[in-house]
Amino acid sequence: MRLLFELLGEHETLPRAEVLACIEAEGHDYEISEEESRILVLETEAEPERLGERLGLTRYVDEHLASGSISELEDAARGLRPLSGSIALRRRDLRPRPERDSGDEGLNRIGGILANTNPVDLDSPDNEVRLISGKNNYLALKKAAIERSSFGERKVDRRPFFSPISLHPKYARALVNLARTSKGKTFLDPFCGTGGILIEAGLIGAELMGSDIKEEMIEGCRENLLSYNLDSFLFRSDVGDISENVDSVSSIVTDPPYGRSSTTMKEELGSLYRRSFESFSDVLERGGYLAIVLPDKAFIEVGEEYLRLEEVYEQRVHRSLTRFYCVFKNY
Ligand SMILES: C[S@@+](CC[C@H](N)C(=O)[O-])C[C@H]1O[C@@H](n2cnc3c(N)ncnc32)[C@H](O)[C@@H]1O
């Protein structure tokens, strides 16, 4: 099926990368046919509903029906098979505000064409057809709407055990997807803290393992995971000793301390990260992925001494913190 993804606009490259990694994690190929900053159109066998359950940085997953000028979309609408049940046509304008027109004329004409073959129900339609305008125009049939509010509800201050050291759940989810995490496969966060990353991996069905140097974090993390009914194997360990408890894992996702709000136990960052990468390369299975957030480009080279660097995405958080979302593979 040809799918259209409407991506969140808050990062230029990360939402797109998350979609592609997610399709791979579900065991499918893809062929990109069109893209612009907030839109990605591709051919894949992956199920749109499952992708919708997984993605953190996408707003909608649609079936792509047509692209082009409004009059080309009108022609395409005339050629569409009738859908089963009622329809509503909705407008989505992704262009910068000064470039937007009201767009109602196109909407009315295409709506009129679709209404010839399908009953219209604007309040609770069986099918939502979307007319999207960006650099190009698109006609698409909504397959999955990502529940944006559910990510907000899982924010750190809403969990039973709280510590202000956790990534926003949507970015934690993106990292989990970048590591090609799969349902039923083993997953480790060796700096698990309050469990923000483990919750996101657990919600897509991974077998959870987590460790942290602080007993207090392990207990709090357990409480948080239980509040989402998630099973896990949690143990207290220095990152250098995880192989005493773990033989091999399919993916590792982690947000280590940067030596600011979260402690490194007085260890210098370079030394902590080196020991971490060494440990990860011991337990990560061949072909397995590590997705990690680093606070400085310089540490990426340390990782490359142990694993193969696949992708890097930069996110400026504020003047003195830039996060580097890095994806490594064990080859
Ligand atoms: C940034 S926090 C992790 C946040 C976590 N993703 C969450 O959702 O809460 C980093 C964690 O690393 C732990 N830590 C620090 N040094 C460690 C070490 N040497 N080995 C294992 N864990 C360590 C800290 O106790 C802290 O919980």
Side-chain angles (χ1 to χ4, degrees):
M1 187 184 282
R2 188 175 294 234
L3 299 182
L4 180 149
F5 297 83
E6 183 189 324
L7 309 173
L8 291 191
E10 54 193 79
H11 193 281
E12 234 170 85
T13 49
L14 205 41
R16 171 191 191 274
E18 189 199 16
V19 170
L20 302 181
C22 205
I23 294 174
E24 260 183 51
E26 288 293 305
H28 295 284
D29 294 330
Y30 55 81
E31 199 171 321
I32 297 176
S33 51
E34 259 177 274
E35 60 182 310
E36 54 172 282
S37 72
R38 305 257 322 260
I39 298 283
L40 178 61
V41 183
L42 51 78
E43 192 71 48
T44 181
E45 299 288 311
E47 270 186 39
E49 294 80 5
R50 173 65 181 152
L51 297 175
E53 283 165 12
R54 292 191 53 142
L55 290 165
L57 301 175
T58 291
R59 205 172 277 282
Y60 294 101
V61 185
D62 299 333
E63 180 182 349
H64 173 268
L65 302 174
S67 305
S69 65
I70 295 291
S71 62
E72 282 168 330
L73 296 190
E74 285 172 40
D75 288 342
R78 280 187 202 97
L80 284 181
R81 59 186 152 86
L83 298 165
S84 75
S86 58
I87 59 145
L89 178 64
R90 313 262 195 236
R91 176 105 171 111
R92 182 88 174 125
D93 203 333
L94 301 175
R95 294 172 294 181
R97 220 164 270 282
E99 288 172 32
R100 289 184 198 170
D101 51 40
S102 72
D104 287 351
E105 255 180 59
L107 187 75
N108 290 341
R109 287 202 302 268
I110 294 172
I113 295 165
L114 294 175
N116 288 331
T117 45
N118 300 274
V120 174
D121 178 349
L122 294 181
D123 297 325
S124 56
D126 300 311
N127 302 284
E128 219 176 281
V129 179
R130 306 199 315 127
L131 169 59
I132 308 160
S133 294
K135 287 205 172 84
N136 203 356
N137 299 293
Y138 308 87
L139 203 58
L141 176 62
K142 185 167 97 184
K143 290 287 180 185
I146 287 81
E147 282 184 50
R148 306 288 350 141
S149 59
S150 68
F151 286 98
E153 283 157 17
R154 291 198 294 277
K155 267 168 82 172
V156 65
D157 54 344
R158 312 267 186 107
R159 300 178 205 144
F161 174 69
F162 166 77
S163 176
I165 52 173
S166 210
L167 284 178
H168 191 290
K170 63 187 165 186
Y171 285 100
R173 177 63 70 89
L175 274 178
V176 165
N177 282 322
L178 285 173
R180 280 71 171 168
T181 303
S182 303
K183 190 170 179 171
K185 294 276 178 66
T186 47
F187 177 96
L188 171 70
D189 180 355
F191 292 103
C192 69
T194 65
I197 290 173
L198 289 173
I199 292 171
E200 297 309 314
L203 292 176
I204 65 169
E207 291 284 320
L208 305 180
M209 290 188 249
S211 58
D212 198 286
I213 201 159
K214 288 191 173 173
E215 189 59 46
E216 167 204 350
M217 289 295 174
I218 293 298
E219 279 163 25
C221 181
R222 184 169 289 120
E223 196 184 345
N224 283 345
L225 292 177
L226 283 177
S227 74
Y228 288 95
N229 290 321
L230 295 171
D231 278 339
S232 59
F233 168 53
L234 300 179
F235 54 97
R236 200 199 73 77
S237 171
D238 173 74
V239 67
D241 301 328
I242 48 180
S243 62
E244 290 174 14
N245 283 282
V246 175
D247 288 336
S248 147
V249 282
S250 304
S251 54
I252 301 178
V253 175
T254 202
D255 182 26
Y258 316 147
R260 297 167 186 225
S261 52
S262 150
T263 175
T264 62
M265 311 299 280
K266 301 205 170 120
E267 184 173 357
E268 200 214 318
L269 282 187
S271 147
L272 176 65
Y273 293 170
R274 176 171 298 282
R275 292 195 307 111
S276 303
F277 281 116
E278 192 176 355
S279 206
F280 301 162
S281 67
D282 280 349
V283 297
L284 189 58
E285 69 185 28
R286 217 190 158 97
Y289 286 84
L290 159 72
I292 184 169
V293 185
L294 295 172
D296 197 309
K297 253 191 182 142
F299 300 124
I300 298 176
E301 286 171 20
V302 179
E304 285 182 283
E305 291 176 34
Y306 299 91
L307 298 164
R308 190 172 74 205
L309 180 69
E310 299 277 303
E311 307 162 42
V312 181
Y313 306 96
E314 197 171 323
Q315 181 190 45
R316 192 170 184 275
V317 184
H318 49 72
R319 202 161 51 87
S320 59
L321 176 61
T322 298
R323 288 189 174 120
F324 296 88
Y325 291 77
C326 305
V327 183
F328 291 89
K329 190 171 184 178
N330 201 4
Y331 48 93

